[in-house]
Amino acid sequence: MPPQRIYMDYHATTPVDPRVFAAMEPYFTEIYGNPASKNHLFGREARAAVETAREQVAQLIGARPKEIIFTSGATESNNLALKGAAGNIRGGASAQRNHLLTVASEHKAVLDPAGTLARDGIEVTLLGVGPDGRIDMAALKAALTERTFMVSVMQANNEIGVIQPVTEIGALCRSRGILFHSDGAQAVGKIAVDVNSMAIDLLSISGHKLYAPKGIGVLYVRTGLELQAQMDGGGHERGLRSGTLPTPLIVALGAACELCGAELEAESAALAVLRDQLLDGILAGLDGVTVNGSMDRRLAGNLNLCFDGVEAESLLQKVPHIALSTGSACTTADLQPSHVLKAIGLGHEQALSSVRFGLGRYTTAAEVAATVEGVVDAVKALREGSLLKGLGWKPDR
Ligand SMILES: *Cc1c(COP(=O)(O)O)cnc(C)c1O
C-alpha cells in the first residue's frame, strides 16, 4: 500500500474547515440575492449575511465593522493599501511625502507593488532583517524621514514564520504621523492581532490561510483614512473596492474568523507541541540540521530547516507523499533561492538546502511521526549518495 499522503504546507493554503463550508453552502443556491439589491428580500437577506460576516471579521482584530473592506485576497489588499495610500498622498495636500519603507523579507505581494511605486517615482527603502528574521527597531527608526508616508511590515513571515515587533513599529509610526500597513495573511487567526493596541492603520487578511476559501480577503482600513480606489465601478465597499460582493465567500470568511477567535489559543498551543515533536525527532535522527529564523518569536505551526549537504528539491522528491515547500522559485533555467532565506543571511547553497514545514488544524501526531521518519531516511540516503560520489557533505562538519 502506498504511504498515506500528508499535508505539511499550511502556509501555502489551508483546507476549508467543514464548519465553514456548512455555513457558506446555503448562500450559493438558496440565499443568492445580490447584497447590493436594496429593494427586495433576496438582496436584503444576502446583505444581512454580509454584515454579520463583517462583524465577525472585525471582532477578531478589534476593529469596527465599517473598517472592514472585502477584497479577493491578501494580494489585492496589499496592492490597495500601498498603491491606494500612495495615490491619495500624491494627489493630496502633502505631495512632498513620497517615501515608503518596507522590508526585504516581505511577501512578493508587498515587494512587487512597492516596486511598481518605485518605478512611478516613489522612493522605496527595503530594510534588512537580522539572522533571526526580525527587523531592528533602531535601524527602522534611522531609516524614517520627514517624507515617509507609510511603513509596511508583515505580522508573520510565510516562509520562516518569524513574528515582527509589530506593536513597537505601530507606536513608532503613530508618534511620527506615518501610516502603518501590515500584511497579516499568516498571522490573523493564528496569533492575537489587535489593530488598536498595535496601532495598525491598514491590515491585509487572506481567507484561504485561515480555513476559509480561496478568493476572499480583507483590507482593514482605519476610520478617517483615505485611499485611492484601484477598481472603478459600482462604488461598493465605501467606494474602495467596486464589484459585486461574493456572499458565500464572505459568509465563510466571517465563520472562519469566529472559529479562529474561539480556538486560536488552544490550537496554537497544540500546534507548538506537534511542531516541537517534529523538530526534536529530526534533530535526534540527523546531524547538520539548523533552524532558519528565530525559534521563540515564531508561529506555532512553522518550522524551516536547513539540511547541510542536501538539495531541498531532491529531498522533496524522495518523500513525494509529504507536501512540503522549499520557497525557491523556478526561473527559466535555474533555481532561485528564496529571497527570505537570503535576507536572513543564508548563502546560496544553504538556502537551496532549506525546507519549510507548515502544520495546521488537521495535523496529527501520527503524521508528524511519519514525517520525521520519512525526512530522516531521505536525508540519510541523499547524504550517503553524495559521499559515495566523493562530494558534498561530511559528517563532522
Ligand atoms: C498567502 C500570502 C499572501 C497572498 O494572499 P492571497 O490571498 O493568496 O492573495 C500575501 N502575503 C502573505 C504573507 C501570504 O502568506
Side-chain angles (χ1 to χ4, degrees):
M1 206 174 66
Q4 281 279 327
R5 52 184 208 157
I6 298 172
Y7 191 69
M8 284 272 166
D9 205 13
Y10 278 83
H11 303 296
T13 193
T14 60
V16 174
D17 187 307
R19 296 168 292 179
V20 169
F21 187 67
M24 80 189 281
E25 217 178 344
Y27 293 89
F28 285 102
T29 52
E30 290 163 38
I31 310 167
Y32 50 78
N34 187 329
S37 301
K38 296 210 166 74
N39 294 329
H40 52 67
L41 200 61
F42 295 82
R44 282 199 296 270
E45 62 189 3
R47 184 82 200 169
V50 165
E51 293 317 315
T52 300
R54 205 185 296 282
E55 284 165 23
Q56 289 167 314
V57 177
Q59 173 82 26
L60 181 62
I61 59 169
R64 291 186 244 177
K66 67 176 184 2
E67 297 173 315
I68 302 300
I69 303 297
F70 291 112
T71 66
S72 63
T75 300
E76 185 187 338
S77 299
N78 289 344
N79 272 270
L80 177 56
L82 270 64
K83 295 174 184 172
N88 191 56
I89 278 159
R90 272 184 293 177
S94 48
Q96 65 276 28
R97 285 216 160 190
N98 64 348
H99 175 235
L100 168 73
L101 187 143
T102 183
V103 182
S105 56
E106 290 291 311
H107 193 277
K108 294 284 183 195
V110 164
L111 293 178
D112 284 0
T116 299
L117 291 177
R119 280 190 296 281
D120 288 352
I122 297 276
E123 190 191 325
V124 177
T125 301
L126 274 193
L127 200 66
V129 291
D132 63 353
R134 302 188 93 208
I135 64 160
D136 174 37
M137 284 306 294
L140 171 63
K141 209 168 188 170
L144 298 178
T145 77
E146 290 300 304
R147 288 170 293 103
T148 311
F149 69 91
M150 178 187 271
V151 167
S152 178
V153 182
M154 70 199 329
Q155 294 267 333
N157 188 273
N158 48 298
E159 291 189 37
I160 54 177
V162 169
I163 299 165
Q164 296 291 3
V166 173
T167 304
E168 287 96 311
I169 301 168
L172 174 63
C173 290
R174 182 64 55 85
S175 75
R176 301 278 298 259
I178 296 168
L179 292 177
F180 178 33
H181 166 252
S182 189
D183 179 347
Q186 293 291 344
V188 173
K190 320 286 170 61
I191 57 174
V193 175
D194 183 275
V195 291
N196 293 317
S197 67
M198 293 173 167
I200 294 170
D201 297 308
L202 295 153
L203 176 72
S204 302
I205 303 176
S206 171
H208 73 101
K209 305 289 173 70
L210 48 74
Y211 309 95
K214 295 156 187 66
I216 186 69
V218 155
L219 182 64
Y220 157 80
V221 181
R222 181 169 292 283
T223 300
L225 202 161
E226 282 180 34
L227 296 177
Q228 186 184 68
Q230 302 297 300
M231 188 98 77
D232 298 322
H236 307 75
E237 298 298 273
R238 296 199 281 119
L240 284 175
R241 207 287 192 171
S242 287
T244 300
L245 294 174
T247 315
L249 301 183
I250 289 171
V251 167
L253 182 58
C257 284
E258 186 169 317
L259 288 170
C260 283
E263 297 174 5
L264 176 156
E265 248 173 81
E267 186 165 291
S268 69
L271 277 178
V273 171
L274 289 175
R275 193 265 318 273
D276 291 346
Q277 284 171 3
L278 180 63
L279 177 61
D280 293 347
I282 289 173
L283 292 180
L286 296 169
D287 293 327
V289 179
T290 42
V291 177
N292 292 322
S294 165
M295 204 52 211
D296 44 85
R297 298 297 301 152
R298 192 183 198 101
L299 294 173
N302 177 279
L303 198 56
N304 193 306
L305 299 178
C306 177
F307 297 92
D308 282 356
V310 172
E311 277 175 13
E313 297 291 324
S314 311
L315 174 53
L316 265 49
Q317 281 168 24
K318 280 249 176 215
V319 288
H321 61 296
I322 309 174
L324 297 167
S325 162
T326 64
S328 4
C330 236
T331 57
T332 38
D334 47 12
L335 213 54
Q336 284 306 313
S338 136
H339 71 279
V340 175
L341 298 178
K342 276 166 60 181
I344 62 169
L346 263 60
H348 192 82
E349 208 173 305
Q350 292 170 304
L352 289 178
S353 299
S354 296
V355 175
R356 177 182 73 184
F357 300 80
L359 293 73
R361 189 166 288 170
Y362 305 106
T363 305
T364 65
E367 288 178 326
V368 167
T371 302
V372 169
E373 192 185 320
V375 167
V376 167
D377 288 351
V379 168
K380 281 183 177 163
L382 289 167
R383 283 177 177 169
E384 243 155 60
S386 72
L387 275 182
L388 287 176
K389 280 185 252 149
L391 30 93
W393 192 75
K394 299 203 177 44
D396 60 354
R397 205 158 86 181

